[in-house]
Amino acid sequence: MVARLLQRLAWRGPDGQSHWYEAHVALGYAHLHVDDLTRTPPPLTFDGQVWLAADIRLDAREELCRTIQAAGGEADQDMPDARLLWQAYRLWELDCLRHLQGDFAFALWDAPRRRLFCARDPFAVKPLYYSHQPGLFVASSDLATICAHSEIPASLPSDLDDFAVADFLIEGMKLDEDGTFYRSIRRLPRATALCLEGDVRRQWRYWDWPTDECLRYARTRDYVEHFRTLLEQAVADRLRAPRAAVFLSGGLDSNVVTAAARRASPTTDLHAFTNVFSKLIPDRERHFAGLAAQGHGIPMTFVEQDNWQPYAPHPAGAPPPPEPVHEPFWNGVMESYRQAGSHARLILTGQWGDEVMLQETAPYLRDLVARRQFIRLGKALVAYLVADARNSFFSLRRQFGRILGRKHPTQSGIPRWLATDFVTRLRQAGYFERAQPSPPLHPYRQLVPHMLSRVHIANDHEYSDMAFTGALVEMRYPLLDQRIIKFLLAVPTVPLCLDKWLFRELLKDRLPRAVVRRAKAPLSQFPVTGYIRRHGTGWAQLPPEAHHHLACFVNIEALAVPLVWDAQHEAKSFVDLSPLSLYKWLHSKVV
């Protein structure tokens, strides 16, 4: 069984495999050499007592080493991250997680204590799935590996989870953070640990948002320099290789990360990749991204998207994704990862910049009033009014207000084509009455923790995992570094977060003014809208055999034929494509 499950991991860990087992416990590991610290696969044990399989990349290693040494352990900068984790566990056992920063998912077996200990990083960058059946516990960073276990129900479509399927058909993704598309398989939520010891299973959240920090400098310039230092540290901790790729657009988020990479590691062979449209939809990203790459002094590859085909077959050798993706052009998205992977196995991204720099002016101003800091209040009001007049802040706030307004589906939002029996099952199981997660509390940064606590972040990180992209590359997110999050939750929002003032200050002397002053520019249309205008909707019809796969979820006869596409309400029309996305995935898995 161990050999068979490891074989399922072999394609994503081609640089070495190891496994260990005793009578009732087995651990296996498939290694991918991504950077200098992962050149050699770490052993599964360092002492013959504690066994460890980990997908781990640690931040603030110097600080961690000092802490371990002060507690009587051995640690140095050349140790692999897995060994530092082992040292931390040996010193502090289950409490070791409060000393760790970075991206990780691991399973640790403490043989003397007969204890299994699993954990996942605070922002769900590394995936970790598990199934707990009577007498059996299986965990893996790869969902398909768990599905391959003979004792775990994973037949299609009979073993699919109704809630996950309903979320996908209505909202385009699963909305439960601990759920997967299989009833018998769960995913460990972010910042969560799980322990099996004896007959007791325990699960707890080990990290929460810092809410009591308040950082105030006399000069605004001091915030800029502090942030520059933190960002360069965050990038350096993720840029431990001689070669790296970066997903670079003409926007601020990816550019501020790229600028930090050039400063933190000027000898790294950094290559930029940008998805561009020339004809399918209006798009100026080629122009602005080209200006940015020239300013950074790095080569740029434009990944052309105009010839993408909806629901194109996956490339030879790439397994189908472990869960469905509601994106007709997913194969084109995979192409950008494949091209970046041809340069390096490490990709930097500026993703989540919008979330970490969200403007929250009113709570901050109220906090200043409560503290009776009227001079700061006056300066903040002036800065706010100037920025608002220049950059149309209210339109951006409305946009995020719409995003935050997305809740679990209600009965009023049921598509007309959902099968009646399926809706009845959902209603009886309490699907439409699911409790909403409580938003994190912060005195004046309410939206940032809220946005970064959404299930969307975990889903997006999974979509960037190689199980979905089919490319041997690892995404790294410097803007989710815990040191940066702590800083941004502690500093004044005015003027730092007004129209991403902090990012613009870091870039103003490095990039052309056209890039630095550019307003946020999302795609003007869904790419599928442009494709339909050229080719119609004939490709969007479900074939007759789809009834066999979808009958328990979808009333196929109720779907409009041909598909009616409203270019003025793209998101609403996009929902009507979700049955086709689900069918294409089911068909690929069955075949």
Side-chain angles (χ1 to χ4, degrees):
M1 177 62 71
V2 172
R4 188 159 69 86
L5 296 184
L6 275 177
Q7 185 58 38
R8 296 301 296 262
L9 281 174
W11 76 272
R12 60 181 291 159
D15 300 322
Q17 292 188 11
S18 56
H19 69 273
W20 164 85
Y21 61 89
E22 58 176 26
H24 302 292
V25 180
L27 274 83
Y29 175 64
H31 185 68
L32 181 68
H33 171 203
V34 176
D35 58 29
D36 292 341
L37 283 174
T38 59
R39 187 179 303 277
T40 303
L44 287 171
T45 184
F46 298 95
D47 62 357
Q49 301 293 310
V50 174
W51 302 80
L52 173 67
D55 183 5
I56 183 169
R57 186 208 55 77
L58 293 178
D59 294 325
R61 285 168 49 88
E62 184 176 349
E63 177 185 344
L64 177 61
C65 287
R66 287 197 302 266
T67 305
I68 290 174
Q69 291 167 357
E74 297 180 1
D76 63 62
Q77 287 293 312
D78 295 328
M79 281 185 176
D81 293 325
R83 186 175 179 89
L84 293 178
L85 168 59
W86 169 77
Q87 283 279 6
Y89 176 79
R90 190 177 66 85
L91 291 169
W92 301 296
E93 296 191 24
L94 301 182
D95 200 33
C96 68
L97 292 169
R98 69 184 181 90
H99 298 282
L100 304 181
Q101 298 184 50
D103 310 328
F104 53 82
F106 66 81
L108 179 151
W109 173 247
D110 186 333
R113 294 176 176 82
R114 311 298 294 175
R115 172 194 290 164
L116 180 67
F117 176 36
C118 303
R120 193 178 185 193
D121 64 78
F123 294 107
V125 173
K126 300 289 189 180
L128 185 57
Y129 309 94
Y130 70 93
S131 180
H132 192 187
Q133 312 291 331
L136 176 68
F137 182 89
V138 181
S140 176
S141 56
D142 184 75
L143 181 60
T145 301
I146 299 182
C147 292
H149 195 289
S150 59
E151 296 183 41
I152 296 177
S155 299
L156 298 176
S158 57
D159 289 320
L160 290 179
D161 181 81
D162 279 350
F163 281 23
V165 172
D167 286 343
F168 182 82
L169 291 174
I170 299 171
E171 293 289 333
M173 66 175 72
K174 56 185 182 289
L175 296 182
D176 288 336
E177 188 171 3
D178 65 344
T180 75
F181 271 78
Y182 298 90
R183 284 194 300 271
S184 59
I185 305 175
R186 313 307 293 169
R187 60 176 174 175
L188 199 63
R190 76 195 76 196
T192 300
L194 182 152
C195 180
L196 290 173
E197 193 167 3
D199 295 327
V200 178
R201 169 181 160 182
R202 202 158 55 93
Q203 186 169 315
W204 69 99
R205 184 180 177 91
Y206 65 83
W207 178 88
D208 217 333
W209 297 91
T211 59
D212 55 354
E213 299 287 336
C214 185
L215 182 63
R216 297 293 180 265
Y217 288 134
R219 299 183 309 162
T220 305
R221 191 69 202 169
D222 293 336
Y223 295 109
V224 178
E225 293 306 317
H226 190 165
F227 182 71
R228 187 198 308 274
T229 299
L230 291 178
L231 184 58
E232 289 177 11
Q233 291 173 347
V235 170
D237 283 344
R238 289 159 177 78
L239 199 60
R240 311 183 303 199
R243 299 166 62 88
V246 59
F247 281 157
L248 181 69
S249 72
L252 296 172
D253 307 339
S254 59
N255 276 293
V256 78
V257 167
T258 304
R262 299 299 290 151
R263 288 174 61 96
S265 184
T267 60
T268 298
D269 181 5
L270 193 64
H271 193 110
F273 294 83
T274 302
N275 292 341
V276 294
F277 294 97
S278 298
K279 300 177 182 177
L280 194 64
I281 61 174
D283 183 25
R284 298 196 65 197
E285 213 56 47
R286 183 191 300 271
H287 169 69
F288 286 102
L291 288 176
Q294 185 177 4
H296 294 300
I298 61 176
M300 164 72 80
T301 294
F302 294 109
V303 184
E304 301 286 348
Q305 302 177 88
D306 289 283
N307 295 322
W308 285 3
Q309 299 295 315
Y311 299 109
H314 290 294
E323 295 183 309
V325 181
H326 187 28
E327 172 50 74
F329 296 115
W330 186 249
N331 191 47
V333 174
M334 293 172 66
E335 177 62 24
S336 63
Y337 285 91
R338 287 194 294 269
Q339 291 201 27
S342 67
H343 176 75
R345 287 180 171 178
L346 185 161
I347 303 177
L348 291 178
T349 176
Q351 191 173 357
W352 311 118
D354 287 340
E355 286 76 6
V356 301
M357 290 296 290
L358 267 173
Q359 298 177 178
E360 297 180 80
T361 308
Y364 172 65
L365 297 180
R366 287 196 298 267
D367 183 69
L368 291 179
V369 173
R371 295 170 182 263
R372 304 180 66 83
Q373 296 184 5
F374 298 115
I375 295 178
R376 288 185 182 273
L377 175 64
K379 292 180 179 179
L381 285 171
V382 171
Y384 169 74
L385 293 172
V386 170
D388 183 46
R390 186 176 64 236
N391 298 303
S392 301
F393 156 63
F394 286 106
S395 63
L396 187 62
R397 185 167 62 182
R398 283 196 300 270
Q399 176 183 347
F400 277 103
R402 288 194 295 270
I403 295 175
L404 286 168
R406 293 183 66 178
K407 301 180 182 297
H408 285 302
T410 61
Q411 295 194 50
S412 61
I414 298 176
R416 64 191 181 284
W417 37 257
L418 279 187
T420 302
D421 291 346
F422 183 43
V423 175
T424 300
R425 292 203 309 271
L426 294 173
R427 187 177 294 115
Q428 292 173 345
Y431 172 78
F432 298 103
E433 291 77 37
R434 281 181 295 176
Q436 299 293 319
S438 300
L441 299 178
H442 192 278
Y444 57 88
R445 294 305 301 273
Q446 299 163 7
L447 294 185
V448 173
H450 190 175
M451 293 293 284
L452 290 178
S453 295
R454 296 177 307 156
V455 69
H456 301 58
I457 189 172
N459 291 336
D460 283 351
H461 289 162
E462 288 180 0
Y463 296 154
S464 297
D465 182 74
M466 59 191 74
F468 284 85
T469 66
L472 292 177
V473 294
E474 182 175 299
M475 288 283 284
R476 295 185 173 175
Y477 306 83
L479 295 179
L480 290 184
D481 188 286
Q482 289 183 46
R483 293 163 294 187
I484 288 178
I485 297 298
K486 183 178 179 179
F487 170 84
L488 290 175
L489 290 178
V491 300
T493 59
V494 181
L496 271 61
C497 297
L498 291 179
D499 192 41
K500 296 185 179 176
W501 179 89
L502 187 58
F503 285 8
R504 297 184 195 276
E505 283 295 297
L506 289 181
L507 295 172
K508 68 179 183 180
D509 296 326
R510 188 177 190 96
L511 297 183
R513 180 178 174 82
V515 176
V516 176
R517 299 309 310 166
R518 188 188 184 199
K520 184 173 177 60
L523 287 178
S524 59
Q525 290 180 334
F526 284 17
V528 70
T529 297
Y531 189 88
I532 286 174
R533 284 176 173 169
R534 289 179 169 220
H535 305 285
T537 60
W539 54 272
Q541 310 309 316
L542 284 165
E545 58 268 25
H547 187 274
H548 170 73
H549 296 281
L550 298 180
C552 53
F553 308 117
V554 175
N555 178 5
I556 296 178
E557 288 74 19
L559 283 168
V561 180
L563 173 71
V564 176
W565 187 266
D566 185 352
Q568 301 301 316
H569 301 89
E570 295 173 303
K572 184 177 180 180
S573 295
F574 201 62
V575 173
D576 289 338
L577 278 176
S578 61
L580 181 57
S581 295
L582 180 60
Y583 163 71
K584 292 291 186 180
W585 176 75
L586 287 169
H587 182 69
S588 71
K589 300 292 282 188
V590 172
V591 171

